[in-house]
Amino acid sequence: MKLKDYPPVFRQILFNRGITDWDSAQAFLKAEQPIFSPEPLLDIDKAIDLIAEMGTQHKRIVIFGDYDVDGVTSTVVLVQLLQKVGMNVEMYIPNRFEEGYGFSMDALTEVLQLNPDLIITVDCGVRSIREVRAAEEQGVHMIITDHHQPLEELPPADAVICPRRPGDPYPNKNLAGVGIAYKLAQRYLERFPLEGEEPRQWLDLVALGTVADLAPLSGENRVMVRQGLEVMRAGPRPGILALANVSRVPIEEVNAQHIGFMLGPRLNAAGRLSSARKAYDLLMATETREAGELALSLDAENQSRRLITREIQESVEESYDFSSDQWLILCADESYNEGVIGLAASKLAESYYRPSVIGVKKEEVIRASCRSIPELNITSALDECMDLLVQHGGHAMAAGLTVRKENLPALKNRLSAIIARELAEVELAPMLEAEMEINLSDLHPSLFKYLNELEPTGVKNPSPLFIARDVEIRKIWAVGKTQDHLKLTLADPRYHQDRQLHSPVIVDAIAFQFGALANELNAGDHIDIAFAYEINTFNGNQTVQLNIRDIQ
């Protein structure tokens, strides 16, 4: 078989990803290249030596995780590794409502109550210079594993494992936190093999954390997530199986989209509304009944999370003067739920296409979550405001911060000025990137065999979107409890010479969050659409549909 034997539509999709020959196509589609050796990571062998020494001396090790999916999965990987080798290990995940984000001084105070000899952070800590210094002053050893961007000065830990460190030779700079925890486990078992134990057993957790944290699904991440999905489909972990059941996800068909939109939000709900311990317990569960009860509880919390997010978004929209600042949405209130302000900020950033900072007022400080747009690195912007902040950290598109109340006006002014400087010459408008324009007559269910080979899809490897122009609406109606969505029947009336089509091609379509157009569009209207081509499964029946992302 050669590249020319693929359908033209699929060849274009590959070309858009820089794939122009058969060998590179096979390497990409099969994603079978070996997972990199962890050995090049700076300090990884220092960390292994220290862990082994602590184990030999029966010292107490505490894994300090973050409260999101990436942090929880990272914690589970290292706790299970150290349990298997017989070490004295405990875990600690901070409560966002009491201790805030990351490896903070408040969190350190709590962890020290466990009398650790060694603390290993996962998915956090690379900017916690003061906290690491304080821990080591108490005689506690520290290993930092983190994937966030470090400051110029690294924490004075025994080992700092972060591929974004200056000079670190590890080829994959885009590992999620759980990817780095996996590397530590991988390297430990390379140096101290344990009969019957292979790192592959944790790849399902790597897939969960990597996808949920929006890490790029290219290169090594793509390989690990694909293999992790294979492990997940085999269903060995009761917690993931139970979570899939309450999410109505068939475990044998689970993919990256299921993680991003179904499994991940339910795991995150625990840390947003109560304690991430519930998500940790679910992933650690060995009994089906216990896993089922925890999964049902997380599902209920996720439903509450949705309602609270919408309430915060509506509150900001009702109270905020959007005309006062064309660059930034910044709003804080003591009534907001700290666990979901990041989700509300994300909704606002998406709706108004500007960076959004939503905070909760405490006694002396404001804790806020930031969400940005692709044109602005929000963490770099916050770095320029460091003297006004108690704490901050994050990624290009998402960050968290703590600021004293009296500094909020100054922070807003400076952040607005920075954003204005960075975006002054940029035309701000949300963009959808499509693979190609296509006639509906060019779509055929046989294409799914090829589209499935693109999995896992996500950041840096998006699900294909297409554009079809001048399609005719045959039927249109609003659906959903609050009529938020559209169902359509569409026709492409154009004759397609190659296929000898003498009658229009008719397809069903769904357009989520486009319900308002039900009063503006009518049968007989012609529209342009951007859409994904997908199989819809409902009540055990499978049908082909277009998932419309935009309408003109």
Side-chain angles (χ1 to χ4, degrees):
M1 189 174 182
K2 298 181 180 179
L3 201 60
K4 66 180 179 62
D5 295 323
Y6 283 134
V9 172
F10 194 63
R11 290 206 304 270
Q12 182 64 52
I13 292 170
L14 294 177
F15 180 81
N16 294 346
R17 286 155 176 73
I19 298 168
T20 58
D21 62 78
W22 175 253
D23 290 340
S24 58
Q26 293 309 291
F28 173 75
L29 295 173
K30 292 183 178 180
E32 291 177 344
Q33 59 264 46
I35 294 172
F36 295 138
S37 167
E39 187 174 4
L41 279 164
L42 293 179
D43 283 2
I44 194 162
D45 279 332
K46 279 188 187 178
I48 299 300
D49 290 340
L50 180 57
I51 292 169
E53 179 185 341
M54 291 284 147
T56 301
Q57 298 175 8
H58 305 291
K59 299 291 188 179
R60 177 171 293 185
I61 302 173
V62 174
I63 309 300
F64 182 98
D66 198 9
Y67 41 61
D68 64 2
V69 178
D70 193 19
V72 171
T73 51
S74 303
T75 303
V76 173
V77 169
L78 291 191
V79 168
Q80 288 191 339
L81 169 71
L82 298 187
Q83 284 179 343
K84 287 177 183 295
V85 298
M87 294 192 186
N88 180 7
V89 59
E90 296 190 40
M91 58 75 71
Y92 188 87
I93 296 176
N95 186 302
R96 78 163 74 215
F97 303 102
E98 296 174 5
E99 295 140 75
Y101 170 80
F103 188 57
S104 64
M105 290 300 294
D106 287 341
L108 174 61
T109 299
E110 296 299 320
V111 175
L112 290 177
Q113 302 303 310
L114 300 174
N115 297 315
D117 297 293
L118 168 64
I119 298 172
I120 305 175
T121 71
V122 290
D123 190 33
C124 61
V126 78
R127 291 179 168 224
S128 302
I129 296 169
R130 183 169 64 111
E131 291 80 1
V132 170
R133 186 174 292 121
E136 299 210 321
E137 286 173 355
Q138 295 293 317
V140 179
H141 291 280
M142 290 289 313
I143 294 173
I144 303 295
T145 75
D146 199 353
H147 68 125
H148 296 94
Q149 186 66 44
L151 301 170
E152 289 186 11
E153 179 185 359
L154 293 175
D158 295 87
V160 178
I161 305 172
C162 176
R164 296 181 185 272
R165 281 180 59 174
D168 192 296
Y170 193 76
N172 181 8
K173 305 301 182 184
N174 294 314
L175 286 169
V178 69
I180 299 175
Y182 178 81
K183 291 294 159 184
L184 193 61
Q186 186 184 358
R187 184 60 177 162
Y188 190 94
L189 291 177
E190 283 179 0
R191 292 188 52 192
F192 302 101
L194 196 62
E195 186 176 356
E197 303 296 342
E198 295 292 338
R200 181 179 170 83
Q201 66 187 284
W202 294 297
L203 281 173
D204 57 345
L205 299 177
V206 174
L208 269 178
T210 299
V211 174
D213 214 54
L214 301 179
L217 296 186
S218 57
E220 184 188 33
N221 283 358
R222 173 176 164 79
V223 176
M224 291 195 296
V225 170
R226 176 174 279 193
Q227 293 184 21
L229 288 168
E230 292 172 358
V231 174
M232 206 179 294
R233 289 175 191 132
R237 197 175 297 271
I240 294 179
L241 181 59
L243 193 65
N245 287 337
V246 300
S247 307
R248 298 182 180 178
V249 171
I251 193 67
E252 66 278 2
E253 299 174 9
V254 66
N255 59 32
Q257 284 69 45
H258 291 136
I259 294 175
F261 296 104
M262 307 293 284
L263 308 184
R266 286 168 171 81
L267 284 171
N268 264 329
R272 294 190 184 282
L273 297 187
S274 54
S275 167
R277 179 68 193 238
K278 195 178 296 182
Y280 170 84
D281 288 341
L282 175 71
L283 297 178
M284 290 288 290
T286 57
E287 299 295 330
T288 301
R289 181 173 179 177
E290 177 194 9
E293 291 173 351
L294 287 166
L296 285 170
S297 179
L298 288 174
D299 187 55
E301 287 195 287
N302 189 52
Q303 294 180 40
S304 298
R305 184 270 307 167
R306 289 177 178 172
L307 293 174
I308 297 169
T309 301
R310 177 172 287 191
E311 289 171 359
I312 294 176
Q313 181 183 357
E314 291 174 349
S315 171
V316 174
E317 290 174 333
E318 290 171 2
S319 63
Y320 194 73
D321 181 7
F322 286 91
S323 65
S324 65
D325 194 323
Q326 69 180 100
W327 301 110
L328 172 70
I329 298 172
L330 191 154
C331 191
D333 191 275
E334 57 274 354
S335 69
Y336 293 164
N337 185 303
E338 188 173 338
V340 299
I341 53 176
L343 299 176
S346 181
K347 294 286 188 182
L348 290 161
E350 181 181 342
S351 296
Y352 297 94
Y353 208 72
R354 65 180 84 175
S356 299
V357 180
I358 306 300
V360 180
K361 293 181 178 178
K362 303 289 186 177
E363 290 185 6
E364 298 180 351
V365 300
I366 293 169
R367 288 179 179 159
S369 286
C370 317
R371 296 295 184 270
S372 193
I373 55 179
E375 293 85 352
L376 179 83
N377 185 321
I378 190 64
T379 297
S380 294
L382 292 175
D383 286 345
E384 295 188 46
C385 306
M386 193 179 300
D387 58 305
L388 298 173
L389 300 171
V390 177
Q391 188 180 19
H392 76 287
H395 306 288
M397 293 282 287
L401 66 84
T402 303
V403 59
R404 298 190 67 84
K405 284 184 175 180
E406 60 268 23
N407 287 338
L408 185 64
L411 174 64
K412 181 176 181 180
N413 290 338
R414 189 185 300 178
L415 200 53
S416 295
I418 292 168
I419 295 171
R421 180 195 73 205
E422 294 297 315
L423 302 181
E425 304 299 323
V426 178
E427 182 179 350
L428 293 183
M431 293 181 60
L432 282 176
E433 293 191 9
E435 304 287 345
M436 60 190 297
E437 287 192 22
I438 196 170
N439 296 323
L440 298 187
S441 56
D442 291 324
L443 297 173
H444 189 273
S446 62
L447 185 59
F448 288 117
K449 179 180 74 171
Y450 301 99
L451 295 180
N452 289 339
E453 293 188 55
L454 297 173
E455 294 290 339
T457 55
V459 178
K460 299 297 184 182
N461 181 39
S463 296
L465 288 182
F466 304 101
I467 292 174
R469 299 196 183 277
D470 197 34
V471 297
E472 179 186 346
I473 299 174
R474 291 293 177 92
K475 296 179 182 178
I476 181 170
W477 65 102
V479 295
K481 290 182 180 179
T482 54
Q483 305 287 282
D484 287 339
H485 316 304
L486 281 183
K487 284 283 287 182
L488 306 97
T489 300
L490 301 173
D492 187 348
R494 289 166 292 190
Y495 173 78
H496 194 278
Q497 186 68 41
D498 292 341
R499 297 214 182 146
Q500 298 295 306
L501 298 175
H502 297 277
S503 59
V505 174
I506 308 293
V507 293
D508 291 326
I510 182 73
F512 294 107
Q513 306 302 325
F514 281 86
L517 291 181
N519 297 320
E520 300 179 24
L521 297 173
N522 300 287
D525 289 347
H526 286 244
I527 56 176
D528 297 341
I529 56 172
F531 65 93
Y533 186 50
E534 64 183 26
I535 294 176
N536 178 46
T537 302
F538 184 73
N539 288 337
N541 297 317
Q542 290 189 334
T543 57
V544 172
Q545 72 174 10
L546 310 185
N547 187 330
I548 294 178
R549 305 297 171 80
D550 201 9
I551 298 175
Q552 289 186 348

